[in-house]
Amino acid sequence: MPISPVNSRKQLNLTVNIGSQPGKSISFTGLAKGAQMKGGYIGANQSRMAMSKTMLIVSDVKTTEKMTISTTKTAIQVIDAHGVDVTPRPLHHPDPHTGAAKPNKLLTSQEGSYTSDFIASYSLYQNTINPSMLGQFTRSVLGSSTVSKSSVSTTESMAEDLEEPSYKRERLYSFTDLRVMRSTPGKTVTKEDLEKTIEIILTETETMRFFNLPTVMVSVESEEAEKLSWRNKNYETLCRNRLGNDLYVERMMQTINGAPKNKEVQCDRIIKEDKGIMSTAWDLYDSYNAMELSSLPVKQPTIDSSSKATVPSKDWDQRAPGSTLEKISEGSSLMDIENVILAKIHNDEENHSDAVLKSDKFQQDLFFMERVIMENIFRPKLAAYRQLPVLKELEPEESEIFLEGEKLEEIEEEVKKEEEEEMEIGSEQSTIPANLERLWSFSCDLTKGLNVSSLAWNKTNPDLLAVGYGHFGFKEQKRGLACCWSIKNPMWPERTYQSPYGVTAVDFSIGAPNLLAVGYHNGTIAIYNVQSNSNVPVLDSSESPQKHLGPVWQLQWIEQDRGTTGDDKREILVSISTDGRISKWVIRKGLDCHDLMRLRRTTSSTSKRVEKEKKGEALISRQAPGMCFAFHPKDTNIYLAGTEEGHIHKCSCSYNEQYLDTYRGHKGPVYKIAWNPFCHDVFLSCSADWGVIIWQHENLKPFLSFYPTSYVVYDVAWSPRSSYIFAAANESRVEIWDLHISTLDPLIVNVANPGIKFTTVLFAKQTDCLLVGDSDGQVAVYELRNMPTGLESSRGDVIENLLQPKSSQSITHHQ
Amino acid sequence: MVNCLSDLFQAEVEETLKRIQSHKGVIGTMVVNAEGIPIRTTLDNSMTVQYAGLLHQLTMKARSTVRDIDPQNDLTFLRIRSKKHEIMVAPDKEYLLIVIQNPCE
């Protein structure tokens, strides 16, 4: 709505009206002015303004007040019908009060009527605006202020505006003060004035900051000091009067909202897609690794996928697309290509599943799985073997966790009690006799019916056991088998080495624990590498010209100092066989053999007779078949050899013709000799004459002999734990002797099932277990239970103790 | 030459599988590929598929846990012992080897 200059006249009217109706009309007109000034009102507002004009005197200014105030923000160019730029000035302008400190420049710069008019109007405008900003004062307050005051203030503010636009509006109190302060000169409006055209020049001000209220400090000595203090006092009184004053009443105003218009817009449906990824620490690690790997040149293999069974599975994904692409490049026609692709895809699928089954990882997993299953099956037995406490499985009916917890505690207590009991028992006399408890037995279909001939532990892996299967007698010869068993899998051997000849001796190497030496009934010695899966021996002595001619009854790897050549300890394989030779095998470029000793026949007569008989004898062979040997645990130069004659010869590696000593005591072939692991002067021997004899090193006569049964004793072994305990296996039973307790009877006797002979014994090193091999191909593992705890059992003075009379023996027992 | 070796492996693998299946207490043995398709199984198809699906997820979670703690580590074996039996899983990127056993004491 164009605003005519009539408004300006109106303003003059307003001023006239001020006197009559101070409150309402003034503000109203002022509002009108304000509207005109701004020009930014919407048409409605202006119309309202127009309306308000008509209602000049009686209108309720409240509404208009607020109206105006709310719509004074925009800065639009408004040109009225006469082409006058009536763009209202921006709302903010500095409050006249801010200029209080400054000298009233305005008063000095009165230029023309328009200024005053403008000023007046402006001041009015300001009047209206100020209260709105505060929201506290009503128009009545405004009304109370005289135009005169406002005009003055406006002039001031105007000047400030023009000169220093940085002033911000002040609060009303200052304004009121200002108003109070000022004395407005009355201006009589004549009719001429009303019809005069008033030029109003509107200019844009600079940007102003809102409400910067810096503290204004005035020196007490300045001119305005007095005024200021008076103003301040006035304000204080005003504030005090504020409460409960009619002039300060809260009022509300309703704004009329513009009619909104709805506009609808339709657009294509926005398709959303959610994508999520979980970034885990290992994902990042993998990505970085892949980046590093891809930076290295990687050649895509182009060979057929079937031959890649050994390639690790990670490359599989890279391979498959590569191989299919290859096939796609072949073929001439589309049909062919499709067929080829289809065929290859099918093949790939098949290959996939086959490759899975063939992959090494799968084999390994199967291996582990089998062991895990074994662990489940044999759990208590294995636990007993490893001497772990066995917790009984809880009853399935007990479902409450609390109960289970209690039970566990009970079981633990029970175990503790048992242990305590055992300790008590041990310190006193055991009420339960020592016994062998059978844990499990190594056997499988392969070994059924074969005779166990030798047992040997691996030197580094205490769970690995080598078992040799082969018959002793010549007539009973069957095929032979050497197996490696693991404690973790008692149902299937880890390795099997088959041969047509019976195996008579096995031993693991010390220096290279993966080498297993196997001696056969036909005299050959083979060395297998247990780590590999192949069944072919690494070395074989079958082609060697110096191989044994008779069954190799014992093999042992010995570490010897080769002091002469200055080398370190070198390992040699020593074998003894029926052809009377004790040979030493060295692995150089194959098995190389040197004879350590040739066993000669000797008789049990005195030395004199020996000489005679040497001349007179017409023996077919002067060799005595060797059955067993044992190297001294400390001095590996000295060893004992047992022969078929029943003699045990003490020999040295330095001499290969002569014996150092001969121990005569047995009447039949000596099957096994064993040095006492603690007392190095004592050794044990067993023979086919049903006897077990304990010898003393210096004494050529037997020290103690045992003839418990009338069966051949095949094997003896000292216990690794006690120097008094040894085990003997004869045909019908296994006996455990404890010399500390009795030298007449064995401590434990385990009778064999009828038809089965016990052929070998071996003690387990770390545990209290005994392995017994029998003639049915089974190696049974027994646990020695309730063994009398040996007091100082590893003492070396076994013989002295045994020699002592019984009274002192009892004393030592109670130490 | 290479094929012979792989055939050897295959034979040994078959033998080992047979042995495992015949062990005491073993209820079922399954070899399932990465997509859940059974390669070898001694149980019926529905059970196999169910086991494969569920154990696959569990294995993934277990592997993720292990590797989150230390990315250089990896899961090698998983055993779940329940009241009735024990499920043993040997996981791999390509396959899952599952054995269900009733451990007898």
Side-chain angles (χ1 to χ4, degrees):
Chain A
M1 185 161 176
I3 298 165
S4 60
V6 175
N7 287 345
S8 55
R9 288 186 206 116
K10 278 233 172 190
Q11 172 229 334
L12 299 168
N13 286 335
L14 177 70
T15 49
V16 167
N17 287 329
I18 282 168
S20 52
Q21 290 186 7
K24 300 176 186 185
S25 51
I26 290 166
S27 51
F28 179 75
T29 344
L31 278 166
K33 264 298 171 189
Q36 177 195 345
M37 295 293 191
K38 271 289 179 188
Y41 305 106
I42 46 178
N45 267 343
Q46 291 183 351
S47 62
R48 268 184 238 119
M49 287 293 110
M51 282 188 333
S52 61
K53 286 172 205 164
T54 54
M55 294 189 298
L56 189 68
I57 294 164
V58 290
S59 69
D60 186 10
V61 188
K62 282 183 214 173
T63 50
T64 47
E65 214 177 74
K66 283 280 155 83
M67 241 178 11
T68 329
I69 289 148
S70 59
T71 56
T72 56
K73 293 291 175 188
T74 52
I76 304 168
Q77 283 266 330
V78 177
I79 302 167
D80 66 3
H82 294 262
V84 177
D85 182 20
V86 290
T87 315
R89 300 171 70 97
L91 178 67
H92 169 70
H93 51 83
D95 203 80
H97 185 61
T98 52
K102 302 218 161 170
N104 295 331
K105 298 168 195 169
L106 273 173
L107 290 168
T108 56
S109 65
Q110 285 181 13
E111 310 157 32
S113 61
Y114 88 94
T115 320
S116 59
D117 284 349
F118 185 56
I119 287 162
S121 63
Y122 197 74
S123 68
L124 284 166
Y125 165 77
Q126 200 179 6
N127 288 342
T128 58
I129 299 307
N130 269 329
S132 73
M133 297 302 269
L134 288 165
Q136 296 265 342
F137 295 93
T138 61
R139 57 189 182 341
S140 54
V141 172
L142 274 172
S144 64
S145 66
T146 54
V147 174
S148 57
K149 285 182 196 170
S150 61
S151 62
V152 171
S153 67
T154 326
T155 47
E156 281 185 11
S157 63
M158 259 284 290
E160 283 151 21
D161 218 17
L162 295 166
E163 292 165 14
E164 290 166 32
S166 59
Y167 279 102
K168 302 233 161 142
R169 301 190 55 173
E170 280 191 7
R171 282 168 285 185
L172 188 60
Y173 64 88
S174 58
F175 173 68
T176 50
D177 280 347
L178 186 65
R179 276 187 275 131
V180 168
M181 244 194 70
R182 285 183 47 189
S183 57
T184 43
K187 193 171 182 186
T188 49
V189 179
T190 60
K191 272 195 181 166
E192 291 157 15
D193 285 345
L194 282 171
E195 277 142 26
K196 231 191 326 182
T197 49
I198 300 164
E199 261 182 49
I200 299 165
I201 298 165
L202 301 172
T203 53
E204 199 181 65
T205 61
E206 290 177 34
T207 319
M208 282 166 270
R209 284 187 205 86
F210 279 79
F211 202 71
N212 178 20
L213 185 68
T215 320
V216 178
M217 307 282 280
V218 176
S219 162
V220 181
E221 292 150 8
S222 76
E223 297 164 11
E224 295 91 27
E226 219 184 281
K227 291 182 208 167
L228 260 177
S229 56
W230 188 48
R231 251 201 291 176
N232 287 342
K233 275 186 228 155
N234 276 343
Y235 179 67
E236 278 163 31
T237 51
L238 183 73
C239 283
R240 266 183 268 124
N241 294 336
R242 206 155 70 162
L243 285 168
N245 203 328
D246 278 341
L247 297 174
Y248 300 91
V249 176
E250 246 184 46
R251 274 173 216 257
M252 282 190 280
M253 199 70 144
Q254 190 178 29
T255 58
I256 299 169
N257 295 324
K261 181 178 174 180
N262 283 338
K263 176 141 187 174
E264 278 172 20
V265 175
Q266 200 173 36
C267 71
D268 284 340
R269 185 171 167 213
I270 300 164
I271 299 164
K272 292 179 200 166
E273 216 177 274
D274 274 330
K275 280 224 165 142
I277 185 161
M278 189 157 109
S279 173
T280 51
W282 52 267
D283 203 2
L284 294 167
Y285 178 83
D286 278 344
S287 315
Y288 284 130
N289 269 9
M291 263 165 55
E292 279 175 19
L293 284 170
S294 65
S295 65
L296 305 166
V298 173
K299 271 191 178 179
Q300 288 283 346
T302 52
I303 33 174
D304 206 16
S305 53
S306 57
S307 59
K308 293 176 204 162
T310 54
V311 177
S313 55
K314 264 190 192 174
D315 292 345
W316 181 254
D317 292 334
Q318 292 166 6
R319 263 185 287 134
S323 56
T324 49
L325 278 169
E326 247 189 75
K327 273 84 179 185
I328 288 166
S329 64
E330 294 169 1
S332 50
S333 68
L334 277 170
M335 282 289 286
D336 285 344
I337 292 169
E338 279 175 15
N339 284 339
V340 164
I341 291 167
L342 283 169
K344 287 301 165 188
I345 287 169
H346 186 62
N347 278 347
D348 280 342
E349 281 174 4
E350 283 178 354
N351 286 343
H352 269 285
S353 59
D354 279 351
V356 160
L357 290 175
K358 283 177 198 168
S359 64
D360 280 346
K361 180 100 194 324
F362 186 68
Q363 261 200 310
Q364 214 184 17
D365 280 341
L366 276 175
F367 176 72
F368 286 136
M369 185 66 78
E370 202 180 354
R371 290 226 171 154
V372 168
I373 292 171
M374 287 305 151
E375 193 202 320
N376 273 339
I377 295 171
F378 288 99
R379 201 157 75 95
K381 312 281 167 67
L382 286 174
Y385 178 84
R386 298 205 195 273
Q387 297 178 320
L388 298 169
V390 180
L391 291 174
K392 298 201 181 75
E393 176 91 341
L394 301 167
E395 300 293 311
E397 291 92 77
E398 306 280 2
S399 56
E400 289 179 46
I401 298 163
F402 183 63
L403 265 174
E404 280 179 9
E406 274 187 346
K407 266 216 164 184
L408 270 171
E409 286 170 8
E410 283 172 11
I411 288 163
E412 282 173 8
E413 285 171 10
E414 278 175 20
V415 168
K416 279 183 208 159
K417 276 184 207 159
E418 278 176 14
E419 285 173 5
E420 286 169 4
E421 282 171 5
E422 279 178 15
M423 281 177 51
E424 284 171 9
I425 287 164
S427 61
E428 296 162 2
Q429 242 190 348
S430 52
T431 50
I432 312 164
N435 61 330
L436 285 179
E437 181 170 310
R438 189 194 165 103
L439 294 176
W440 74 85
S441 73
F442 291 106
S443 71
C444 68
D445 291 334
L446 284 176
T447 64
K448 211 144 175 62
L450 296 174
N451 180 40
V452 175
S453 61
S454 52
L455 300 167
W457 286 109
N458 187 303
K459 303 293 185 285
T460 46
N461 183 356
D463 286 342
L464 201 57
L465 175 72
V467 181
Y469 301 87
H471 286 267
F472 292 140
F474 183 74
K475 286 181 190 165
E476 304 152 347
Q477 282 303 302
K478 278 192 223 168
R479 61 183 176 87
L481 185 66
C483 285
C484 287
W485 292 86
S486 167
I487 298 287
K488 294 171 188 165
N489 188 350
M491 289 185 71
W492 189 259
E494 307 292 317
R495 302 274 183 273
T496 52
Y497 303 111
Q498 308 233 9
S499 85
Y501 304 104
V503 173
T504 48
V506 285
D507 195 28
F508 270 107
S509 160
I510 303 168
N514 57 323
L515 292 179
L516 174 69
V518 183
Y520 293 99
H521 201 268
N522 68 341
T524 45
I525 295 171
I527 297 181
Y528 289 94
N529 182 2
V530 181
Q531 273 178 343
S532 75
N533 269 321
S534 78
N535 286 345
V536 179
V538 173
L539 283 170
D540 203 330
S541 81
S542 41
E543 274 82 42
S544 165
Q546 288 155 325
K547 68 169 186 180
H548 284 292
L549 302 167
V552 177
W553 290 115
Q554 189 162 348
L555 280 175
Q556 201 174 348
W557 292 87
I558 304 288
E559 273 185 342
Q560 263 198 345
D561 292 318
R562 298 188 74 222
T564 49
T565 53
D567 281 348
D568 285 339
K569 272 195 180 178
R570 186 137 168 200
E571 213 181 8
I572 51 166
L573 178 64
V574 181
S575 65
I576 190 167
S577 127
T578 324
D579 62 358
R581 280 167 46 216
I582 301 176
S583 344
K584 144 178 116 172
W585 300 81
V586 170
I587 300 171
R588 257 187 235 133
K589 282 183 193 172
L591 276 177
D592 227 10
C593 178
H594 293 278
D595 278 349
L596 280 179
M597 175 62 71
R598 285 175 183 276
L599 296 167
R600 275 203 222 113
R601 284 187 180 275
T602 54
T603 62
S604 57
S605 49
T606 57
S607 51
K608 278 190 195 170
R609 281 190 64 188
V610 164
E611 283 176 26
K612 259 197 186 172
E613 290 199 34
K614 267 188 184 173
K615 290 175 184 171
E617 273 178 12
L619 298 165
I620 297 165
S621 155
R622 297 195 69 196
Q623 308 287 358
M627 300 297 297
C628 57
F629 65 92
F631 273 78
H632 194 275
K634 285 284 166 184
D635 182 8
T636 52
N637 234 359
I638 311 280
Y639 60 93
L640 296 164
T643 65
E644 216 176 28
E645 300 168 314
H647 301 143
I648 299 171
H649 305 289
K650 183 165 92 172
C651 323
S652 164
C653 292
S654 333
Y655 311 108
N656 63 350
E657 290 286 323
Q658 268 193 325
Y659 311 130
L660 296 175
D661 269 319
T662 307
Y663 301 89
R664 299 160 208 273
H666 280 296
K667 311 270 182 308
V670 180
Y671 284 138
K672 191 71 187 285
I673 306 176
W675 286 96
N676 189 311
F678 301 104
C679 180
H680 298 309
D681 285 335
V682 176
F683 63 92
L684 187 63
S685 68
C686 75
S687 120
D689 66 355
W690 315 334
V692 174
I693 297 179
I694 296 181
W695 307 80
Q696 221 187 343
H697 194 207
E698 291 86 22
N699 198 348
L700 295 179
K701 291 288 172 195
F703 181 66
L704 275 176
S705 42
F706 311 92
Y707 293 91
T709 56
S710 56
Y711 289 107
V712 175
V713 183
Y714 282 112
D715 206 353
V716 280
W718 285 103
S719 161
R721 295 223 165 174
S722 164
S723 58
Y724 295 112
I725 298 173
F726 66 90
N730 59 31
E731 280 181 355
S732 60
R733 54 195 212 176
V734 172
E735 296 160 355
I736 312 281
W737 292 79
D738 189 341
L739 295 172
H740 200 86
I741 291 174
S742 162
T743 55
L744 297 173
D745 287 315
L747 180 65
I748 307 168
V749 173
N750 196 26
V751 184
N753 294 328
I756 294 179
K757 302 181 207 172
F758 289 127
T759 52
T760 45
V761 278
L762 185 69
F763 274 96
K765 290 200 184 85
Q766 263 83 35
T767 69
D768 269 334
C769 288
L770 178 70
L771 275 73
V772 179
D774 64 15
S775 60
D776 199 28
Q778 288 198 24
V779 178
V781 180
Y782 291 93
E783 194 197 352
L784 298 162
R785 287 171 120 238
N786 300 327
M787 292 294 285
T789 51
L791 305 157
E792 305 129 25
S793 58
S794 51
R795 270 180 14 201
D797 49 355
V798 182
I799 300 303
E800 284 78 30
N801 270 352
L802 291 169
L803 279 174
Q804 278 168 11
K806 276 213 166 177
S807 55
S808 52
Q809 241 184 3
S810 56
I811 290 168
T812 57
H813 180 72
H814 285 300
Q815 269 173 10
Chain B
M1 196 30 202
V2 179
N3 282 332
C4 295
L5 270 176
S6 61
D7 285 340
L8 271 174
F9 284 145
Q10 178 95 15
E12 206 179 306
V13 157
E14 295 289 345
E15 215 183 273
T16 317
L17 263 175
K18 255 187 252 171
R19 269 211 315 278
I20 289 179
Q21 283 163 15
S22 62
H23 275 317
K24 196 164 60 155
V26 171
I27 297 168
T29 311
M30 284 175 272
V31 182
V32 183
N33 77 349
E35 285 122 31
I37 300 163
I39 301 173
R40 287 290 152 83
T41 172
T42 57
L43 299 171
D44 56 359
N45 201 34
S46 61
M47 282 204 63
T48 305
V49 167
Q50 189 186 25
Y51 267 104
L54 293 168
L55 285 170
H56 186 70
Q57 293 172 31
L58 184 64
T59 315
M60 297 284 276
K61 190 69 185 173
R63 177 180 274 131
S64 176
T65 309
V66 167
R67 295 205 72 203
D68 261 344
I69 293 165
D70 178 10
Q72 288 174 335
N73 205 351
D74 200 3
L75 182 70
T76 53
F77 208 84
L78 189 64
R79 285 168 86 163
I80 305 154
R81 204 179 179 107
S82 69
K83 277 192 219 167
K84 291 190 186 167
H85 37 248
E86 181 165 353
I87 304 168
M88 293 165 278
V89 183
D92 188 74
K93 281 197 174 64
E94 312 257 315
Y95 61 85
L96 274 180
L97 170 63
I98 303 163
V99 174
I100 306 157
Q101 187 191 17
N102 190 2
C104 15
E105 302 285 326

